[in-house]
Amino acid sequence: MLLEVRDLTVHYDSVHAVDNISLHVIEEEIVAMIGPNGAGKSTTLKAICGLLKPKSGKILFQGENINGRQPHQLVEKKLCLVPEGRRVFASMTVLENLEMGAFTINNKEEVRDDIDKVYGLFPVLKERRKQKAGTLSSGEQQMLAIGRALMLKPELLLLDEPSLGLSPNYVDIVFEKIKEINNNGTTILIVEQNARMALEHADRGYVFEIGKIAFEDKAKNLLENDEVRKLFLGG
């Protein structure tokens, strides 16, 4: 078990953003978390990567309780988040953004090799390597944000709304690349409003409803679940 969340509760002041939920992620899976806005999906991701402190519950990564760990400590353990909204360094070039992603690696040759791997996955980034990140399209910025996270060689990659604000063409491309990253051995936990697209590319899924998990199943079964289809998949 790569990640296990047990009885997690997270509060925003007096609001129960997440109330006593449990989930897990096995090595080399893609696991999707879907559901309406405000249901607690992104809150769960932020708790996992140390950006929010849980009220109660346990978060185990590779069998170790990581409650209370700072985000930079979890990055060193190869748990990496690509946040909602991409958040690239707009005034820096594509190449400089990727180099920033490798801040924990001291071997320059290794960093160059890893940059070449990112360019192989996202050829457009190689074409744009000298361009300021802020001038890229939203789809290209999303690729850069994912590529920057991959520079850390994550054991678990957390993706928060990777299709948000993208054109349909870029949504398809980004999800194709997510699948390719997973096929290369990286485990992925993804929060996504485009529920159908997420489930079509995932192995398993969790459906959130206002701080709770309403459904948990193989992604294929969730796609065929009448209630899930009615609520989240447009019938």
Side-chain angles (χ1 to χ4, degrees), residues 30-56:
I30 298 178
V31 176
M33 296 194 291
I34 65 170
N37 286 330
K41 309 180 302 297
S42 293
T43 297
T44 300
L45 276 196
K46 289 175 182 176
I48 290 169
C49 69
L51 291 171
L52 289 175
K53 184 178 179 180
K55 179 75 172 178
S56 61

Side-chain angles (χ1 to χ4, degrees), residues 156-170:
L156 177 60
L157 182 63
L158 309 178
L159 300 174
D160 195 0
E161 303 284 7
S163 79
L164 185 67
L166 304 190
S167 68
N169 182 53
Y170 270 120

Side-chain angles (χ1 to χ4, degrees), residues 34 195 199 207 215 221-235:
I34 65 170
L199 292 176
V207 182
F215 301 94
N221 294 340
L222 290 174
L223 282 166
E224 296 171 354
N225 181 302
D226 287 341
E227 191 169 355
V228 173
R229 289 172 66 183
K230 180 180 178 182
L231 291 173
F232 304 112
L233 304 176

Side-chain angles (χ1 to χ4, degrees), residues 40 43 57 70 91 96 101 107 126 140 180 191 213 228 230 233:
T43 297
Q70 296 298 310
S91 63
E96 288 167 341
N107 186 316
K126 185 173 184 179
E140 291 165 349
E180 187 175 343
V191 164
I213 293 175
V228 173
K230 180 180 178 182
L233 304 176

Side-chain angles (χ1 to χ4, degrees), residues 61-208:
F61 181 58
Q62 296 178 321
E64 178 184 351
N65 188 347
I66 59 172
N67 283 33
R69 296 293 179 91
Q70 296 298 310
H72 72 272
Q73 294 175 312
L74 297 178
V75 165
E76 291 170 357
K77 290 182 174 294
K78 307 298 185 182
L79 192 160
C80 303
L81 170 69
V82 178
E84 179 182 335
R86 298 170 281 281
R87 300 184 194 175
V88 297
F89 299 109
S91 63
M92 299 173 69
T93 67
V94 167
L95 175 58
E96 288 167 341
N97 269 265
L98 294 178
E99 289 172 339
M100 287 293 291
F103 71 95
T104 63
I105 302 171
N106 295 319
N107 186 316
K108 291 183 178 181
E109 185 175 342
E110 183 180 349
V111 171
R112 284 196 298 269
D113 288 344
D114 291 340
I115 288 172
D116 286 340
K117 289 177 184 177
V118 172
Y119 287 159
L121 183 67
F122 299 115
V124 69
L125 296 183
K126 185 173 184 179
E127 296 172 17
R128 305 275 196 272
R129 63 189 180 277
K130 296 181 181 179
Q131 191 170 322
K132 299 288 187 185
T135 68
L136 300 178
S137 71
S138 57
E140 291 165 349
Q141 287 185 10
Q142 186 64 67
M143 293 177 190
L144 178 56
I146 294 172
R148 186 178 60 193
L150 292 177
M151 292 295 295
L152 292 160
K153 299 185 176 70
E155 295 289 335
L156 177 60
L157 182 63
L158 309 178
L159 300 174
D160 195 0
E161 303 284 7
S163 79
L164 185 67
L166 304 190
S167 68
N169 182 53
Y170 270 120
V171 170
D172 290 339
I173 292 171
V174 165
F175 270 95
E176 286 171 10
K177 296 303 182 180
I178 289 170
K179 193 69 177 179
E180 187 175 343
I181 291 164
N182 177 249
N183 288 338
N184 289 335
T186 301
T187 307
I188 297 173
L189 178 61
I190 181 172
V191 164
E192 179 56 55
Q193 278 298 112
N194 189 333
R196 182 176 296 280
M197 182 68 80
L199 292 176
E200 286 175 350
H201 288 79
D203 299 293
R204 292 188 302 108
Y206 293 90
V207 182
F208 279 63

